Amino acid sequence: MVTKAQLAALGLFDAKVPRYTSYPTAPHFGRDIGAGDFTRWIEEIPQGAKVSLYVHVPFCRRLCWFCACRTQGTQSDAPVIAYLETLKSELAMLGQHLPEGVRLSRLHWGGGTPTLLQPGMMEDLAGAIKEIAPFTDETEFSVEIDPNEIDAARLDALAAAGMNRASIGVQDFNEEIQQSIGRLQGYDITKWAADEIRARGVASLNADILYGLPHQTRERITESVQKLLSLNPDRVALYGYAHVPWMAKRQQLLPSDALPTPEERLDLFDTARRLFMWDNYAEIGIDHFATQTDGLTVAQKTGRLRRNFQGYTDDTAEVLIGVGASSISKFPQGYAQNAPATGAHTAAIRDGRFSTTRGHAFSDEDRLRSRMIEQLMCEFRIDSAEMCATFGITPQAVRKMLDDSAAQFPGLLQVDEGGMFVPHEARPLTRMIARSFDAYELSTAGHSSAI
């Protein structure tokens, strides 16, 4: 049994580490990757391959104070309409370079608030996507839905476009907490959205909930989780609130003196985790939960669980293309990120060029360390045989990397000829363990709390 005192001694409550949805992490992307690299990597996709597509809509009717995403507020549809035209132009340009026969494995609309698009706009965007990369019978089309910014007509449009997974952000149902984070969203309106989504035959429902928010207590998170469970989500992401007001200025509006301590954050997470487990959800990685029949649970049991910018996924496509301002694409060759500012992104597309402004080309060492970190984050282990067979590294070299990592967590990690295993009681340290395999300098990145 690992005690809080041991976790504290190992630095869990003081550490700032990445969430490792990519490796290397985005702060280490460089300006040496540009539109030419992105174009070439698109053209090198094999003919007939399945790819995933992420579409970023950076607009919100209101800006939630807790959010650190790239978003901008608007009360008018005018900038949204203009941005949609940019997206359609970007997609058309993408279609000119995509090899023949490319189809969609996954499609995700995120933001921001993609559901502020009007029904006709949703239809236009979906049509522009299907024109360059058609759906298959297995395509998963997911949309982030704000219950405060959705109605029957827009749900009808999304269902008609093929949405078969919806994701609802909950954060917390307690009104005082909602007031403190600038996100008012009652249980009734959330339940209405969930019921209406399912009424349209959407097969799967995701939900996000946060721990570590101002004024959050064990009793309050218990009540919020129980309300969330009454909606019967297929997947739940239990994210730790990342308080980074030096990066997200709007977070300065939160009452920082009401934030829980790192020790209290761990207790909040454990409280919520136990509730999901008691309701027979499978524990997926460090912060997700899923029903026993959900694709994530199946992927975990069969060794196909993966991690990307949306968190945990069962998507095995080797290419993820990001469309829209600030979107990040992943190729076997590396990462490519679009211009973060909407104006700069739009200007590039109008000039007939992709807006890629930075990225990273993978080295062989990057690929090895990336897979080690991903396997840790997904399976809490590193398989030495896989590393040797896939990356041509010797068993002795792998063993040294594992031993060096284990030495930083004395007595907690199991290392043998087969690889490394993280016991359940040590799993709060997973991101810190992953950090021990990260060859890049952390001090320049400014990441969030390890718990």
Side-chain angles (χ1 to χ4, degrees):
M1 181 67 181
V2 180
T3 66
K4 283 189 177 180
Q6 286 177 287
L7 295 176
L10 290 167
L12 175 67
F13 300 128
D14 302 312
K16 305 289 184 183
V17 290
R19 295 184 187 273
Y20 288 113
T21 54
S22 71
Y23 181 82
T25 56
H28 297 292
F29 293 178
R31 298 285 179 180
D32 53 333
I33 298 297
D37 301 285
F38 177 83
T39 303
R40 184 174 68 257
W41 292 347
I42 288 290
E43 293 174 346
E44 289 174 356
I45 296 172
Q47 289 188 4
K50 289 185 179 180
V51 304
S52 294
L53 187 70
Y54 170 77
V55 180
H56 187 65
V57 180
F59 299 99
C60 295
R61 295 298 183 203
R62 71 198 187 292
L63 295 177
C64 303
W65 303 339
F66 72 90
C67 182
C69 298
R70 285 253 175 205
T71 58
Q72 57 195 81
T74 180
Q75 294 302 310
S76 164
D77 279 349
V80 184
I81 293 170
Y83 183 77
L84 176 60
E85 292 305 311
T86 299
L87 288 179
K88 289 161 65 177
S89 297
E90 183 179 4
L91 287 163
M93 191 160 56
L94 182 63
Q96 295 172 6
H97 296 279
L98 277 173
E100 185 178 351
V102 167
R103 297 165 297 160
L104 283 180
S105 170
R106 298 286 191 276
L107 171 62
H108 183 76
W109 292 4
T113 309
T115 51
L116 58 67
L117 297 174
Q118 297 302 321
M121 299 163 70
M122 292 175 172
E123 183 180 349
D124 282 354
L125 179 56
I129 292 168
K130 292 177 182 178
E131 193 168 313
I132 66 163
F135 285 15
T136 71
D137 291 341
E138 292 81 34
T139 300
E140 182 179 283
F141 174 20
S142 57
V143 180
E144 294 174 16
I145 292 178
D146 180 353
N148 289 310
E149 189 61 47
I150 194 66
D151 54 29
R154 283 178 281 185
L155 284 173
D156 287 342
L158 290 172
M163 179 182 73
N164 51 20
R165 181 177 291 279
S167 182
I168 293 179
V170 170
Q171 323 322 331
D172 193 285
F173 282 118
N174 180 270
E175 186 173 348
E176 182 182 15
I177 295 173
Q178 291 181 0
Q179 292 278 4
S180 74
I181 65 174
R183 170 80 173 209
L184 294 177
Q185 180 182 312
Y187 172 78
D188 289 344
I189 194 171
T190 307
K191 185 178 188 304
W192 177 88
D195 289 346
E196 291 296 310
I197 288 166
R198 292 199 185 280
R200 284 159 177 79
V202 176
S204 301
L205 179 67
N206 297 5
D208 297 345
I209 189 168
L210 295 180
Y211 68 92
L213 295 172
H215 306 296
Q216 210 169 34
T217 64
R218 184 186 300 178
E219 293 73 23
R220 286 179 168 182
I221 201 168
T222 295
E223 183 179 3
S224 287
V225 169
Q226 288 174 335
K227 286 182 175 179
L228 177 60
L229 287 170
S230 74
L231 305 179
N232 298 312
D234 298 274
R235 296 179 187 175
V236 178
L238 176 62
Y239 290 130
Y241 165 64
H243 192 59
V244 287
W246 57 91
M247 294 172 56
K249 300 300 183 185
R250 73 187 78 162
Q251 290 187 352
Q252 295 174 4
L253 296 169
L254 271 70
S256 58
D257 58 343
L259 289 168
T261 66
E263 292 85 352
E264 289 168 340
R265 284 172 63 97
L266 179 59
D267 186 57
L268 290 168
F269 175 83
D270 283 340
T271 299
R273 173 188 167 274
R274 287 195 298 270
L275 290 168
F276 290 122
M277 299 296 287
W278 287 339
D279 223 46
N280 200 33
Y281 280 73
E283 191 171 11
I284 308 295
I286 63 169
D287 55 16
H288 279 51
F289 301 86
T291 60
Q292 297 297 325
T293 57
D294 185 80
L296 284 187
T297 306
V298 175
Q300 183 183 62
K301 291 177 178 177
T302 56
R304 295 184 294 104
L305 189 65
R306 295 292 181 265
R307 189 160 171 83
N308 64 17
F309 293 105
Q310 278 81 59
Y312 290 102
T313 180
D314 55 355
D315 182 21
T316 56
E318 292 191 358
V319 173
L320 168 65
I321 302 171
V323 174
S326 81
S327 289
I328 300 175
S329 300
K330 181 183 180 183
F331 301 90
Q333 299 91 331
Y335 295 113
Q337 183 171 20
N338 291 345
T342 304
H345 175 72
T346 298
I349 300 302
R350 284 177 178 170
D351 286 346
R353 54 186 173 84
F354 295 111
S355 79
T356 311
T357 56
R358 64 188 198 125
H360 182 87
F362 295 140
S363 67
D364 288 342
E365 184 179 359
D366 287 335
R367 293 186 176 94
L368 167 66
R369 292 180 180 272
S370 176
R371 180 57 186 146
M372 283 182 156
I373 289 171
E374 182 181 51
Q375 201 168 56
L376 264 178
M377 298 292 288
C378 292
E379 303 176 32
F380 302 107
R381 69 181 182 94
I382 293 176
D383 184 335
S384 292
E386 177 185 324
M387 301 308 145
C388 294
T390 304
F391 302 103
I393 189 172
T394 66
Q396 294 80 8
V398 174
R399 182 61 183 261
K400 183 179 187 311
M401 294 177 74
L402 302 185
D403 285 340
D404 288 347
S405 172
Q408 299 178 40
F409 308 91
L412 291 183
L413 307 182
Q414 300 172 11
V415 179
D416 56 26
E417 291 75 14
M420 173 187 280
F421 177 72
V422 182
H424 196 278
E425 60 269 19
R427 289 178 185 177
L429 298 162
T430 300
R431 286 166 59 197
M432 293 180 63
I433 299 168
R435 170 68 186 98
S436 70
F437 292 94
D438 188 337
Y440 291 86
E441 178 56 48
L442 181 64
S443 62
T444 61
H447 296 286
S448 61
S449 171
I451 185 60

